[in-house]
Amino acid sequence: RFQEVWSPQRAKLIAPMADMLNHSAEPNCEITFDDMGNCEVTAMYDIQPGTPLTISYGDPTNPTPIFAQFGFLPADCATLFCKAMHLEPYIKELGIEFKDLLIQTETGEIAPKVWDLFLYEILVNNDPGAAEQYYVAVKCNDEATKQQYQDQYFQYTLDSMKQHVYSILSDVDTLTAKAQNYDLSTHPRVPVIVAHNNLVRDTFTMTAALLEQMG
């Protein structure tokens, strides 16, 4: 009996034709189901003859869940999630969406919300009063107040970011070395796993270099 590990409680439906649609970060089709469970595929705009029909398998800004759930690495990965799952309580508290906590795969550049998150964690653990004020500033998009705290605590935030980035790089190297020891005949997904890990490593290596340039 099939048992899904990723989302075991969700409904399972088989749609033979729709199952053939590939993933794209910029899909040209969308899938819906009517009250009877019938699958409907609708073009999102006029599609030229011969163009592959595509849908989105998940958040295009973060390929890791798509890789974990569907077993492939999207070819058009422009960004990665910052991997700060240890700060998930603060992510929820600030109301930040995962799609805003990104790192650019081509440059290693860090999205502003990532800086907000790491600074907030520092303030919560060291200055609750300042944390409350920064929380309000983030919620109200008060850029002036945010900048004041970012300037004041920049070195602490930078050090925290460095520690996180180097920790991810260490973990990725360990996981890649472990994966490369597997027998491909029994673990055929190893090349995809390594490709994903290499994408993370290359991206975070660029991020580490940017952070080192900052101080």
Side-chain angles (χ1 to χ4, degrees), residues 63-116:
T64 300
I66 296 176
F67 161 70
Q69 186 173 2
F70 297 101
F72 74 94
L73 187 64
D76 49 1
C77 303
T79 54
L80 285 175
F81 174 60
C82 67
K83 308 294 184 185
M85 287 307 298
H86 63 294
L87 300 180
E88 186 173 12
Y90 302 120
I91 295 174
K92 293 180 178 178
E93 191 172 337
L94 290 172
I96 301 175
E97 297 187 38
F98 287 101
K99 67 180 181 62
D100 294 323
L101 297 170
L102 304 175
I103 296 177
Q104 298 290 325
T105 57
E106 293 186 359
T107 63
E109 184 178 355
I110 304 166
K113 293 292 186 182
V114 180
W115 291 95
D116 285 344

Side-chain angles (χ1 to χ4, degrees), residues 3-205:
Q3 180 176 1
E4 184 180 13
V5 175
W6 188 265
S7 301
Q9 303 303 320
R10 72 175 180 175
K12 282 50 169 206
L13 298 173
I14 297 177
M17 294 299 294
D19 286 346
M20 299 178 67
L21 300 178
N22 287 327
H23 165 80
S24 173
E26 298 180 355
N28 52 26
C29 295
E30 60 182 357
I31 288 181
T32 57
F33 293 88
D34 64 20
D35 294 338
M36 300 296 293
N38 297 309
C39 177
E40 299 178 354
V41 179
T42 306
M44 301 170 67
Y45 51 83
D46 291 339
I47 302 172
Q48 295 298 315
T51 303
L53 302 181
T54 58
I55 58 175
S56 174
Y57 286 12
D59 182 359
T61 63
N62 183 19
T64 300
I66 296 176
F67 161 70
Q69 186 173 2
F70 297 101
F72 74 94
L73 187 64
D76 49 1
C77 303
T79 54
L80 285 175
F81 174 60
C82 67
K83 308 294 184 185
M85 287 307 298
H86 63 294
L87 300 180
E88 186 173 12
Y90 302 120
I91 295 174
K92 293 180 178 178
E93 191 172 337
L94 290 172
I96 301 175
E97 297 187 38
F98 287 101
K99 67 180 181 62
D100 294 323
L101 297 170
L102 304 175
I103 296 177
Q104 298 290 325
T105 57
E106 293 186 359
T107 63
E109 184 178 355
I110 304 166
K113 293 292 186 182
V114 180
W115 291 95
D116 285 344
L117 174 63
F118 275 78
L119 174 53
Y120 183 65
E121 186 263 344
I122 291 170
L123 294 176
V124 167
N125 291 319
N126 295 277
D127 190 339
E132 183 176 349
Q133 294 180 35
Y134 194 73
Y135 170 86
V136 173
V138 171
K139 286 291 191 177
C140 298
N141 293 317
D142 182 352
E143 296 300 328
T145 300
K146 284 173 54 178
Q147 190 63 54
Q148 176 185 344
Y149 281 104
Q150 289 165 0
D151 292 343
Q152 181 178 353
Y153 290 90
F154 174 74
Q155 191 60 51
Y156 297 101
T157 310
L158 179 62
D159 290 343
S160 180
M161 291 282 285
K162 285 182 180 180
Q163 182 179 2
H164 171 67
V165 167
Y166 285 119
S167 174
I168 294 297
L169 287 171
S170 177
D171 290 346
V172 166
D173 286 342
T174 299
L175 292 171
T176 299
K178 182 178 180 180
Q180 290 174 329
N181 286 326
Y182 291 149
D183 185 347
L184 287 178
S185 63
T186 55
H187 296 81
R189 291 180 60 190
V190 164
V192 183
I193 293 173
V194 171
H196 169 268
N197 291 352
N198 286 342
L199 175 64
V200 174
R201 177 175 50 78
D202 292 345
T203 300
F204 275 68
T205 297

